[in-house]
Amino acid sequence: MEKLKKKIGSFSFWNWVIASIIFRLILIYFPKNLNLSSRPEVSTPLTSFRRLAEGYWLKQSSMSSYAGSMYHGSPLLLSLLGPLTVKRIEGQPNHLLYSLVSVIADVVSAMLIRATGQNLRLAYLRSLESLDLVKQIDVSEFLFSGDIAALIYLCNPFTIVACVGLSTSPIENMAVILCLYGACSRLIPLAAFGWVIATHLSLYPAILIIPVIFLLGCGPDSPPRKLFLQRHQQKEVLNQLKLPPGFSWGPIIHFAFWAFLWSVYVLVLCGISLKQFGGLWEMFKSTYGFILTVEDLSPNIGVLWYFFAEVFEFFRNFFLIVFHVNILFMILPLSIRLRHRPCYLAFVYVAICSMLKSYPSVGDSALYLGLLGWFVNELADMQFSLFLFCGYVGVSLLSPVMHNLWIWRGTGNANFYFTTAMVYACLQIVLVVEGVSAVLNHDRKLRILITGKP
Amino acid sequence: METFINPKSLFHLLLLPCLLLYSSIAYNSSPVEAAMHTNNWAVLVCTSRFWFNYRHMANTLSLYRTVKRLGIPDERIILMLADDMACNTRNKYPAQVFNNENHRLNLYGDNVEVDYRGYEVTVENFLRVLTGRHETAVPRSKRLLSDEGSHILLYMTGHGGDEFLKFQDSEELQSHDLADAVKQMKEKHRFKELLIMVDTCQAATLFNQLQSPGVLAIGSSMKGENSYSHHLDSDVGVSVVDRFTYYTLAFFERLNIYDNASLSSLFSSYNPSLLMSTAYYRKDLYKRRLEEVPVTNFFGSVMETIHTDAAYKALSRRNSGRFEDEMSLDQSVHHIKRRMLIKVNDGDEIHDINPELLQGEEGASKCPWSTFRKKFQKAENVDSLLNYGLVAMIPLLVISTWLVQ
């Protein structure tokens, strides 16, 4: 019976995957990619495809690809994706090749999410077994978090829009997911590679080093260690085999070594490509410097542009520091509280970054919504889930409307658009807060089951 | 390919010291100049506006046409015109300017590039052009970008008087202003030789105050004399050319770009009875003998094309100077020896390329690392290296993951 259920489940999974790919391909064949690449929600100065094409053209004209402050991405992306921006096939839509690359990146990310999800689920079941809670919790009700997460990622309208809208988010997301997959499966070179590439493409995945360290040191998500100790105190059988291993530094050293290797490799390649245009310092100024100093104030679904459009020059640096520290100071408390659940920590970090980064787009939201799928079992009792769902739907419908009212019709102003951006930020905050409290509640429930006292 | 080049470069190596010796002797016999003549510029100024000064614009445009015909390109010509004749409502032949009543030649053709037009022709702009002191936003096409190897032709026409030249009926350029500007140019090494040609009334007074060496000046009339127009075109309704310029053009129309007519033949071609004034020239500041200076030194820009067998390498300014210099070397240098000097330059070029081709076999000082770096600096190599690096990332990743597992 279970086998049949599993078979049906996996059959529909591949159905859904193929359906989403076909849907993406249909959308790609619409004229001009439905003008999605001109939407500010989809393409930001960091992820815009048009800027990539411009950077590639500048490079081909023997000028620095960062000239004119158009392109702010990695020079490696230019070499990889640049030729795709100019190649045209007769009778096909303009950027077919690049869209296909995005679709492939999405599919690969989905497969990696599925594998990591299966890993997490197995780890969860194993930890339940070692806590002897298998009879008390109905494991047959456990959803296949890997499949669900992969399907959420593929069929999410945000992901589809980011893919069809020709942004570089699918590739950045793929790098982040690769890093998490490598860390979960203990494939250290892969994890190091993913982390280095993700940080190189956009600065923010650098903070994923902490969940990766926890993943490599302790292993995938599991209930808090003291629960295990309490359980074994109760049983008075110190069966070391059933205890999860303590924190080990060996994999961390390996990871550091591989990360160093890959970063040297990437930096050498970048240095080669930018030799006569100012070298690595120019690259850091144009990519990381651009991200950190928020030079471009064109509207997006984030909250920084509105604020920095009106801040006085005298206070600009101060507020830049405030906004960036906003992300940084949340790292430590969360890492202390959620150290036994590194994948969930990674999810929370990704969500916070997507909310507070300088140029957010729907591609970033697509990433953490996909990662949310890993925790359907733990987050089953999350409050406000319907409110959040309706909120997301509402914001994604209203935001283009407000943008149109402001820019095209002129009957609205920037406040209209910024309102939707603020509401979106609020929704994300609610999601993060409720998610963390739901996971902590889940841990508390496990503790109650083990110790019998609340 | 390597064996083919070796004997040739050896031959040039032997030839080099002999010819260096010879050329040093040749240089010593010519007058001591720090720089060689490398390029030609022309600054053509018409200082009048209004329909009845048609002939001044025709003068300037005729000189423009001549100077272009003899080889100076548009980017080395600064043309300052009021430019209100061709499309003037009183012009019976719209967009056409003639310098002869037979209307044989339309001076305002397809490719007249006026750098300063209309109200931009002011004394201030003129002096800025000469001295090179522009605002930062002035485009390169409006600048006189000459250097210490330039020969400049400065032609001015309009209404003038005793020690002044009238600019557009509202300003004056005085002779000491011009002398100051030329002195600044000389101090800033903005010319090697300068020929000033002025076609106005009492033109010779305009260069009374000049003191800078290397300047040759000729004016159409002396103090107290007027310069007259040549003839009236009854169809157009105004005089179409001045006498001095007319006879200058008559001299140049007989020339083509390879002729060796000298400046003295030009200056002696002016007949005072035909000009109805005395064309006076001042050569006390100019050290060379006028019989030896071809007119194309100022009015044209004669370059010799030299065929090389080696691949064209972007020449440094120093090398390019050597090619153009062939025409300006002292006339006493024999033509054949000039050709050998050219070959030496050729040999130098091949000698330079050699280490790249032979990977450091030739010169002992070129180590393999520098040849590798030179090869490396070419753009295509960088691109392909980058692509290899990127593509190699994936198998590296796969292998490392598989190994560690």
Side-chain angles (χ1 to χ4, degrees), chain A residues 37-106:
Chain A
S37 52
S38 54
R39 294 234 65 88
E41 292 94 354
V42 177
S43 73
T44 65
L46 293 174
T47 60
S48 166
F49 176 74
R50 223 174 271 156
R51 288 180 184 244
L52 182 81
E54 175 85 17
Y56 180 68
W57 183 86
L58 284 170
K59 191 173 107 147
Q60 294 301 97
S61 318
S62 311
M63 286 190 272
S64 164
S65 43
Y66 298 116
S69 185
M70 270 307 270
Y71 179 65
H72 294 284
S74 150
L76 303 182
L77 267 188
L78 271 186
S79 312
L80 268 178
L81 300 174
L84 295 178
T85 62
V86 288
K87 219 166 148 57
R88 298 248 183 286
I89 305 177
E90 287 299 315
Q92 306 285 348
N94 263 345
H95 300 291
L96 181 70
L97 285 173
Y98 184 77
S99 318
L100 287 180
V101 168
S102 311
V103 170
I104 293 173
D106 271 349

Side-chain angles (χ1 to χ4, degrees), chain A residues 59-60 76 79-80 178 187-190 193 197 258 262 265-266 269 272-273 275-276, chain B residues 373 376-377 379 382-383 385-393 396-397 400-401 404-405:
Chain A
K59 191 173 107 147
Q60 294 301 97
L76 303 182
S79 312
L80 268 178
L178 191 69
L187 296 170
I188 295 178
L190 199 64
F193 178 72
I197 295 288
W258 278 105
W262 285 117
Y265 190 82
V266 164
L269 281 182
I272 293 174
S273 85
K275 217 166 151 49
Q276 61 258 55
Chain B
R373 271 186 73 232
F376 188 69
Q377 264 155 11
V382 170
D383 260 341
L385 190 67
L386 203 59
N387 286 338
Y388 288 146
L390 280 172
V391 166
M393 243 200 257
L396 267 177
L397 181 68
S400 57
T401 318
V404 167
Q405 231 174 4

